[in-house]
Amino acid sequence: MARGVDGHLDGASWGHSLGSEFQDMDNDGDLDIYTGNLAHWWGAGGLGHDISYLWRNDGDTSGYSFTDIRSDSGMHAYTPDPFDSENDFEEAGPGWGDFDNDTIPDVYVTEFYPFRDHWGRLYRGLGGGTFEDVTDPGNGDCEDPAAPGDPNPINYDVGPTCLKRWYSWNAAWADYDGDGDLDLALSGYPRFNQCNVTPMPAECGSADPGNRDSWPQPARLWLFRNDVGAQNNWLHLRLVGQLGNRAAIGARVSVDVGATTMTREVSGGHGYHAAQHDLPVEFGLTNAAQADAVTIRWPSPGFPTTSLTDVGANQRLVAYETGGGIQRGDTPTGLGPYETSEFFPWADPEQVLDPAVGNRFYRLDDTQAEIRVEKDVAGETIVIVIVN
């Protein structure tokens, strides 16, 4: 069955796809796709390469086929021109994340190759598959002081709040500072080195002015702290698999907030150079005081589910998959499976550091081994004893 993801060319597809990632960009319960393509205007065999795609999943009524809506999404347009190689499209890959915690996924799309107006872009989701470019914070950081108002700085490092990065391959999101919003990690270079100008910048070294491929664009790693998203409420969930993989990669989590349902998946990597988002799934809740419902579909045989309601906002919680032969309890004779009707504290999910909780006992069904966590609160010590 045709899915609508076979490119734009008639008769043959000369694609040059580098990085893709799934995300439910329109909060309709199914996963959409962004695919970054290296699209030279001259193409393969003179026919041109496919450009990047934003494929909307049209759902089960269409047999889960896809429609490319990128040209109507508000994203940077592709205008091929055989006399201007800078109109090439050189996107390496997307990185999805709700940076402003407004329930609508946003995406950073990287670009590479040494061309002046080819930088990575951050698109803020507006809903319904539409976006606005918010790469430039509008404070002058993206401009060369020698050319105010010029959006294409040359041989000048952009400022610390400008998200433009040249020669960038991938993007990943994680709440590294624990303030409830997603921060952004990028590769790339904060300036475009143009070496066919006089005088040639010192950074160009012995580069050939007539050969762009020799112009230095050294890649670096960048970590951007998010100072925006914590203005809204949020919920972060770390999943622990018991029957399937321990990291719960492949699990799907849905969160209901009023009439909005958000869907996220635990991903094991994405993009051209295999970037990795933080494993916990993050949900922006806008100003809602709680998630009305949370449903986890685990990546285990039969796809078991965990469902909870009325989960308070601004929490980091841990969910355990039930089963797997692991039993826990407060006494050796009072062991039972992990309860799927509750979440556990993020920092201390086993509550071994909680002075109000006594010793912990664990047992694996298929062994005789018993794990005993003995606590001495007064002495601030914890002893783990394995008993056969």
Side-chain angles (χ1 to χ4, degrees), residues 63-81:
Y64 293 102
S65 63
F66 293 80
T67 300
D68 177 27
I69 61 170
R70 194 185 184 287
S71 62
D72 298 319
S73 68
M75 292 181 170
H76 175 57
Y78 174 59
T79 54
D81 183 345

Side-chain angles (χ1 to χ4, degrees), residues 295-363:
T295 303
I296 303 170
R297 190 191 72 178
W298 299 92
S300 303
F303 299 105
T305 60
T306 297
S307 298
L308 295 98
T309 58
D310 303 330
V311 180
N314 302 332
Q315 295 191 85
R316 295 179 181 83
L317 300 171
V318 177
Y320 286 91
E321 181 183 15
T322 191
I326 301 178
Q327 296 187 353
R328 70 198 290 264
D330 298 330
T331 66
T333 59
L335 303 180
Y338 283 86
E339 293 294 332
T340 58
S341 60
E342 63 176 309
F343 285 136
F344 296 86
W346 180 294
D348 183 23
E350 299 300 327
Q351 299 170 286
V352 296
L353 304 179
D354 188 342
V357 177
N359 295 338
R360 285 291 194 188
F361 298 86
Y362 302 86
R363 183 180 295 279

Side-chain angles (χ1 to χ4, degrees), residues 222-252:
W222 304 88
L223 178 60
F224 292 94
R225 185 189 66 224
N226 185 346
D227 295 326
V228 175
Q231 300 171 15
N232 284 327
N233 294 333
W234 48 272
L235 179 66
H236 293 184
L237 302 175
R238 180 163 65 88
L239 276 54
V240 180
Q242 305 276 39
L243 296 172
N245 67 88
R246 187 71 172 172
I249 291 172
R252 180 174 294 190

Side-chain angles (χ1 to χ4, degrees), residues 83-328:
F83 301 102
D84 182 4
S85 60
E86 290 204 14
N87 276 316
D88 280 8
F89 225 51
E90 288 142 356
E91 294 187 343
W96 290 96
D98 182 7
F99 78 84
D100 52 0
N101 284 334
D102 67 349
T103 76
I104 303 171
D106 316 296
V107 62
Y108 190 97
V109 182
T110 61
E111 286 214 35
F112 65 102
Y113 272 11
F115 291 99
R116 181 184 179 190
D117 60 355
H118 287 213
W119 58 75
R121 288 174 166 83
L122 176 61
Y123 295 105
R124 177 177 176 265
L126 303 178
T130 59
F131 299 83
E132 64 172 335
D133 188 338
V134 294
T135 314
D136 186 342
N139 60 3
D141 266 6
C142 287
E143 302 174 3
D144 183 343
D150 186 347
N152 299 317
I154 297 176
N155 302 322
Y156 173 77
D157 282 10
V158 296
T161 65
C162 179
L163 295 176
K164 292 181 179 180
R165 286 298 179 272
W166 287 260
Y167 214 72
S168 182
W169 294 92
N170 238 318
W173 297 90
D175 182 13
Y176 87 91
D177 53 0
D179 65 351
D181 54 30
L182 291 175
D183 309 291
L184 178 62
L186 291 174
S187 65
Y189 198 53
R191 65 187 289 153
F192 171 69
N193 281 328
Q194 183 163 334
C195 299
N196 60 352
V197 296
T198 303
M200 191 165 67
E203 290 82 357
C204 291
S206 59
D208 178 359
N211 180 8
R212 288 178 182 267
D213 288 340
S214 72
W215 298 359
Q217 310 292 340
R220 300 175 184 170
L221 295 178
W222 304 88
L223 178 60
F224 292 94
R225 185 189 66 224
N226 185 346
D227 295 326
V228 175
Q231 300 171 15
N232 284 327
N233 294 333
W234 48 272
L235 179 66
H236 293 184
L237 302 175
R238 180 163 65 88
L239 276 54
V240 180
Q242 305 276 39
L243 296 172
N245 67 88
R246 187 71 172 172
I249 291 172
R252 180 174 294 190
V253 185
S254 297
V255 168
D256 295 341
V257 177
T260 299
T261 298
M262 296 168 280
T263 302
R264 307 281 189 270
E265 285 197 344
V266 180
S267 170
H270 68 280
Y272 180 60
H273 280 181
Q276 172 70 63
H277 300 305
D278 201 10
L279 283 175
V281 287
E282 298 90 359
F283 295 89
L285 305 182
T286 61
N287 60 355
Q290 67 176 27
D292 299 323
V294 176
T295 303
I296 303 170
R297 190 191 72 178
W298 299 92
S300 303
F303 299 105
T305 60
T306 297
S307 298
L308 295 98
T309 58
D310 303 330
V311 180
N314 302 332
Q315 295 191 85
R316 295 179 181 83
L317 300 171
V318 177
Y320 286 91
E321 181 183 15
T322 191
I326 301 178
Q327 296 187 353
R328 70 198 290 264

